[in-house]
Amino acid sequence: MTILDDNQIKLLEEYASLLFTIDEIAILIKVDPASLRRDIRHGKNPVAEAYFKGKLETMVAVRKNIILFAKKGSPQAETFVKDYLDQQNN
């Protein structure tokens, strides 16, 4: 398991929220990309939690905007919302 200090965990979350790839994040926080990828895929550790938290926070912000635009009548946004609803119901 990759051992990251508090600052690296914080940066990992931030870079994940900016939708950098795992390899890009590994370079930025100076860790082995394969180890970081393995830890994230394992899913039950602080590294994976920071990665998914960052990524999901951006997804929340994007979806809020899409729903806002859908409510204002954007056909493209309405299509995204319909897809989100279909995913949620499966």
Side-chain angles (χ1 to χ4, degrees):
M1 179 149 104
T2 307
I3 305 296
L4 302 181
D5 62 34
D6 290 342
N7 187 54
Q8 286 173 306
I9 291 281
K10 182 180 172 185
L11 289 172
L12 168 63
E13 185 177 321
E14 178 185 353
Y15 297 149
S17 77
L18 295 171
L19 307 178
F20 283 102
T21 66
I22 293 171
D23 286 348
E24 292 168 334
I25 293 169
I27 291 166
L28 290 167
I29 64 173
K30 298 179 174 110
V31 297
D32 177 61
S35 296
L36 183 61
R37 193 175 304 102
R38 184 175 45 251
D39 290 343
I40 290 169
R41 284 187 181 145
H42 183 266
K44 296 190 188 231
N45 57 67
V47 171
E49 289 173 11
Y51 175 79
F52 287 112
K53 183 178 182 217
K55 187 174 174 179
L56 288 169
E57 285 175 352
T58 294
M59 291 174 68
V60 167
V62 168
R63 285 186 183 205
K64 282 182 179 181
N65 282 333
I66 290 171
I67 290 169
L68 178 65
F69 284 116
K71 288 179 179 180
K72 292 181 179 185
S74 167
Q76 288 177 320
E78 288 173 352
T79 301
F80 279 116
V81 171
K82 182 186 177 306
D83 291 344
Y84 295 148
L85 288 170
D86 290 343
Q87 290 172 10
Q88 190 178 38
N89 291 328
N90 286 330

